[in-house]
Amino acid sequence: MPGPVGVRADRPERLRGRKVLLFDFDGTLIHQTIDFGEMRRLAEAVLREYGASPEAWKDLFVLEAIERAAAVVRPTDPERAEAMRARAMRAIVDLELSAAEGARACSGVPEMLQTLRRTGLAVAIVTRNCREAVLAVMARNRLACDLLLTRDDVQHVKPDPRHLLAALEALGASPGDAVMAGDHPTDVLAGRRAGTATVGVLSPGVGPEWFASADPDLIVEDVTEIVSYL
């Protein structure tokens, strides 16, 4: 099936017949404004305050940077490592909770989720966000799902495929049953590593080249378009 004008559909047939939809949250199902630069600045300020070296985390995402810094400090001073980690994570959570206050579901998403579940498909939200912030958003938006797995619920988060595999195990499904959809190349990378079909969801003003390194099976401009490919 051809995609809409401007949407690349290299392998849309891979979505056909899938029974489980794994969705990223922020930017895929909801609109919210999180200042990721500020998030990193706040976390790094805590890490430096506790004497962790920037060299330990310079090429990592912020969650992984905190864990790496804690791992470096832990062998010599486990208490300091845990205090550092807790403060850095609290700074991130506070920023996420602030952003959650103005978050809203993307157009058509509540209806799409209801349709998927009504037709017998399973829906899981798999996100690096904290559970507290996600639940706050979901309380104000009608986002139906069978399973929510935040970073607080797993030991390994996206792009580690074990985040997705944990969701599939909880749903009694296999990677061959599933589609992973998200607005970031790491969502697609996690899906490919886990063995699911993959969909890249374009944010406003972003072109298909955003997903060039991840090579999803399908790229859509609107997440609700996925339904027509299943």
Side-chain angles (χ1 to χ4, degrees):
M1 176 184 296
V5 175
V7 176
R8 196 182 77 204
D10 288 343
R11 298 176 296 272
E13 69 280 356
R14 291 204 68 220
L15 276 67
R16 188 67 61 189
R18 303 279 174 150
K19 301 299 183 185
V20 179
L21 279 298
L22 307 176
F23 289 102
D24 172 53
F25 190 64
D26 184 14
T28 301
L29 299 180
I30 63 144
H31 293 295
Q32 69 176 348
T33 302
I34 296 179
D35 188 336
F36 290 102
E38 176 68 0
M39 177 183 288
R40 189 172 191 92
R41 189 194 68 76
L42 291 171
E44 288 188 349
V46 174
L47 301 185
R48 289 191 175 92
E49 180 182 338
Y50 278 81
S53 170
E55 289 301 311
W57 71 75
K58 64 178 182 178
D59 297 323
L60 300 176
F61 293 120
V62 65
L63 295 178
E64 288 79 1
I66 293 170
E67 296 300 339
R68 175 70 61 81
V72 170
V73 174
R74 192 172 289 117
T76 56
D77 195 338
E79 290 187 4
R80 183 165 63 95
E82 294 312 309
M84 176 183 68
R85 180 185 181 280
R87 277 194 54 196
M89 292 302 295
R90 187 67 246 175
I92 290 177
V93 169
D94 288 344
L95 199 64
E96 289 176 329
L97 288 173
S98 178
E101 294 177 5
R104 68 187 191 281
C106 296
S107 177
V109 161
E111 294 81 5
M112 176 193 70
L113 297 179
Q114 290 285 0
T115 296
L116 291 172
R117 298 182 75 220
R118 189 165 53 246
T119 56
L121 279 68
V123 172
I125 295 173
V126 183
T127 175
R128 288 167 59 94
N129 293 13
C130 70
R131 175 168 278 268
E132 186 178 3
V134 174
L135 291 178
V137 175
M138 293 181 72
R140 293 191 296 272
N141 295 268
R142 295 173 56 250
L143 301 178
C145 69
D146 299 285
L147 178 69
L148 169 63
L149 279 187
T150 71
R151 68 167 181 260
D152 299 323
D153 305 312
V154 294
Q155 290 186 333
H156 308 281
V157 296
K158 299 179 299 177
D160 193 308
R162 286 174 286 187
H163 197 168
L164 278 61
L165 294 173
L168 293 174
E169 182 179 4
L171 293 170
S174 69
D177 298 324
V179 178
M180 175 65 207
D183 70 319
H184 196 280
T186 55
D187 296 315
V188 175
L189 180 60
R192 293 188 63 189
R193 288 173 173 173
T196 73
T198 56
V199 177
V201 181
L202 294 176
S203 301
V206 175
E209 64 277 3
W210 172 243
F211 290 105
S213 63
D215 191 28
D217 296 311
L218 175 70
I219 298 177
V220 297
E221 294 174 337
D222 186 321
V223 68
T224 62
E225 296 169 18
I226 292 174
V227 176
S228 66
Y229 290 93
L230 299 174

